[in-house]
Amino acid sequence: MQNINPEDFRVKSKIDLSKTATELAIDTSKKEEETALNEIQQKLSKKQDAMYAHNRHAFLICLQGMDTSGKDSLIREVFKEFNPRGVVVHSFKTPNSTELEHDYLWRHYLALPEKGKFAVFNRTHYENVLVTRVHPEYILFENLPGIEKVEDITPQFWENRMEQINNFEKHIAQNGTTILKFYFHMSKEEQRKRLLKRLEQPEDNWKFSTGDLKERERWDDYMKYYEEAINKTNTDYAPWYVVPADDKGVARYIVAKTIWEKLESLSDITEPKLDPKVAENIDFYKQQLKE
């Protein structure tokens, strides 16, 4: 597991998802995966504390993938050793009435991380060029000028949205937020198994939605639009990583190691030093507390 290199999953040129592996060809046990992830978790926890105290950098972790691709469980496992004060998870559902009164990026701006903190977007601003492309009728709820019907949504409309997303990410990156975007690349067969598991195991029944089956019917459309979105929004300041997601343990390790290596590259992150005047009198303060 230690030989896994996050750079191998970073998108560096135009990607074809149909030719991209959904499973990593390595032989590991579940115990080995858990041990490797635990080692990274401990390092992340310590470095996150330093980043929180340093209060200069922020991290935005974007998670995208088809239903059952493992986003929820990854958040639980990768971030469970983090200081809760330093990480906030946002799961973006269908926009509510208030959100629809603003532009589509408004709610994402509100959820951006404060300095010193991590924000995890579980489903992200990319839903606005993924789900809405599969279901363009959703755009009509935004009450945009000049768009009265689906036929008014031109190819240029989507090109503009991609550019707007790039500008959004560039703006926040230039102001101290490190952006890492992960697409969980799962096979259609693996999704079938996971959906079936939700039905066969009573304790998982609550996770099943008939909507998952309807969206599954549009699998090829989603792959097409994911591929286009990744290719048009992959930048140096907001890179995409395509993570093989058929093995959840391996996917979690790849994401955790990617975050860790990026954190390590920020050499200016250091814990604040004690005020010299306080340091000079530290023995005096200790004595006061012992009396």
Side-chain angles (χ1 to χ4, degrees):
M1 291 288 283
Q2 284 78 7
N3 293 328
I4 289 177
N5 182 3
E7 283 298 302
D8 292 339
F9 309 98
R10 180 171 176 168
V11 177
K12 301 182 183 71
S13 58
K14 190 173 183 180
I15 194 167
D16 181 343
L17 290 179
S18 68
K19 298 178 181 178
T20 304
T22 60
E23 189 169 8
L24 201 58
I26 59 173
D27 185 20
T28 60
S29 67
K30 186 174 181 181
K31 180 64 176 177
E32 289 172 328
E33 292 173 358
E34 291 175 349
T35 299
L37 180 59
N38 182 64
E39 290 175 359
I40 293 289
Q41 285 172 339
Q42 301 308 314
K43 293 179 181 179
L44 277 173
S45 176
K46 186 175 181 180
K47 194 72 174 182
Q48 180 231 355
D49 275 340
M51 190 186 94
Y52 180 82
H54 184 65
N55 199 38
R56 292 291 186 275
H57 294 276
F59 267 69
L60 175 59
I61 308 300
C62 298
L63 309 180
Q64 282 289 161
M66 295 293 285
D67 293 319
T68 77
S69 60
K71 300 183 297 298
D72 291 344
S73 61
L74 180 139
I75 292 170
R76 182 185 67 240
E77 296 301 322
V78 169
F79 295 95
K80 68 181 180 181
E81 297 297 330
F82 274 43
N83 186 324
R85 295 180 302 171
V87 60
V88 181
V89 178
H90 302 274
S91 295
F92 292 100
K93 306 296 185 181
T94 302
N96 60 37
S97 58
T98 299
E99 292 166 342
L100 286 170
E101 290 300 316
H102 299 269
D103 72 89
Y104 70 98
L105 287 173
W106 177 77
R107 63 176 180 164
H108 302 287
Y109 268 110
L110 294 180
L112 289 176
E114 301 172 18
K115 290 182 176 66
K117 293 188 177 184
F118 276 75
V120 182
F121 284 7
N122 182 8
R123 296 188 182 276
T124 72
H125 42 291
Y126 283 95
E127 294 291 285
N128 297 285
V129 290
L130 293 168
V131 175
T132 52
R133 292 202 75 178
V134 176
H135 301 284
E137 64 274 14
Y138 293 170
I139 294 293
L140 302 182
F141 293 113
E142 295 183 23
N143 292 326
L144 295 171
I147 296 182
E148 304 294 335
K149 54 188 182 301
V150 169
E151 289 71 24
D152 294 329
I153 305 172
T154 65
Q156 188 59 49
F157 174 88
W158 300 113
E159 292 292 326
N160 291 344
R161 284 225 157 164
M162 301 286 188
E163 183 180 2
Q164 291 157 9
I165 287 174
N166 282 335
N167 290 336
F168 164 67
E169 292 175 347
K170 186 175 184 178
H171 168 67
I172 62 176
Q174 289 179 335
N175 284 275
T177 297
T178 296
I179 306 166
L180 297 174
K181 302 180 297 193
F182 299 95
Y183 165 61
F184 295 92
H185 191 36
M186 174 183 61
S187 66
K188 191 175 183 181
E189 172 60 15
E190 180 62 23
Q191 189 199 51
R192 183 190 70 81
K193 293 177 181 178
R194 292 180 185 180
L195 287 172
L196 190 59
K197 182 181 176 182
R198 289 181 176 182
L199 291 172
E200 291 178 336
Q201 298 189 0
E203 65 271 20
D204 290 333
N205 286 171
W206 67 272
K207 298 179 182 178
F208 180 78
S209 168
T210 56
D212 294 340
L213 297 181
K214 292 180 180 178
E215 295 304 288
R216 179 174 164 80
E217 293 174 0
R218 305 294 300 273
W219 182 275
D220 291 343
D221 291 330
Y222 274 107
M223 292 302 103
K224 173 184 175 182
Y225 295 132
Y226 262 114
E227 185 177 292
E228 184 176 344
I230 291 170
N231 285 325
K232 290 186 176 180
T233 62
N234 183 54
T235 60
D236 289 339
Y237 52 83
W240 274 106
Y241 293 79
V242 174
V243 179
D246 282 1
D247 185 321
K248 289 185 178 182
V250 171
R252 292 166 187 166
Y253 182 79
I254 291 171
V255 171
K257 191 171 185 180
T258 303
I259 298 171
W260 160 247
E261 291 193 356
K262 188 61 182 178
L263 259 174
E264 273 288 271
S265 73
L266 302 176
S267 58
D268 65 315
I269 295 179
T270 56
E271 292 184 356
K273 293 182 179 180
L274 192 62
D275 183 288
K277 291 184 179 180
V278 175
E280 289 176 6
N281 296 285
I282 196 166
D283 290 335
F284 171 70
Y285 300 133
K286 286 182 182 178
Q287 187 59 40
Q288 281 189 312
L289 290 169
K290 290 178 181 178
E291 291 178 355

